[in-house]
Amino acid sequence: MSTSSRKLQSEINRILFVKNLSYNVTSEELYDLFGKFGSIRQIRLGNAQNTRGTAFVVYDDIQDAKMACDKLSGFNFQNRYLVVLYHQPDKVAQTTSQGQGATNTEHKSMADIASTPRRQI
């Protein structure tokens, strides 16, 4: 396969943003589901009032993240249809400047995940 045919769209990255999760979902259940597509570096489950039902899933490999996004977007998990998107820091920064969305601190922490050492649970 040539290098040009392996290029991915610019929004594709290793960090997935998952919405429409059950408020009762555990990180272990998300590891079980998303781990079927590859090695996971980290999962951050939203627990604040405005982030419940969401999570960030960070893969070690971008191809694994792409496959998970392709296969799990719209997947029925715990009687809810998942919305799986690629994390887009530029859009987070844009909504932050308009007074909505994540704070700059949250934006930086997600951008720094790629350099976070891998943890075992």
Side-chain angles (χ1 to χ4, degrees):
M1 193 179 281
S2 71
T3 306
S4 61
S5 64
R6 294 190 66 201
K7 283 191 175 182
L8 299 172
Q9 296 172 339
S10 62
E11 76 269 5
I12 296 175
N13 62 63
R14 299 181 311 125
I15 304 171
L16 300 179
F17 179 60
V18 184
K19 301 190 304 185
N20 202 34
L21 290 167
S22 164
Y23 287 176
N24 300 319
V25 72
T26 66
S27 57
E28 290 80 15
E29 291 167 329
L30 291 178
Y31 269 103
D32 288 344
L33 178 63
F34 283 86
K36 294 175 183 176
F37 298 95
S39 178
I40 294 175
R41 178 173 296 249
Q42 184 177 35
I43 289 182
R44 288 194 175 183
L45 196 54
N47 57 8
Q49 182 70 26
N50 62 339
T51 61
R52 289 182 66 193
T54 67
F56 285 100
V57 179
V58 183
Y59 281 91
D60 284 327
D61 184 84
I62 194 168
Q63 294 292 344
D64 297 339
K66 182 181 183 321
M67 185 178 299
C69 186
D70 292 346
K71 300 290 185 185
L72 293 177
S73 188
F75 182 75
N76 189 333
F77 180 65
Q78 298 182 347
N79 295 319
R80 301 182 69 87
Y81 292 99
L82 299 181
V83 177
V84 183
L85 308 165
Y86 295 103
H87 174 59
Q88 296 180 347
D90 295 339
K91 286 190 177 182
V92 172
Q94 188 176 34
T95 57
T96 301
S97 68
Q98 295 171 354
Q100 327 169 351
T103 64
N104 284 335
T105 307
E106 290 169 334
H107 170 66
K108 288 179 186 174
S109 65
M110 289 313 302
D112 293 339
I113 284 178
S115 63
T116 304
R118 188 173 178 181
R119 295 184 305 154
Q120 298 292 330
I121 58 167

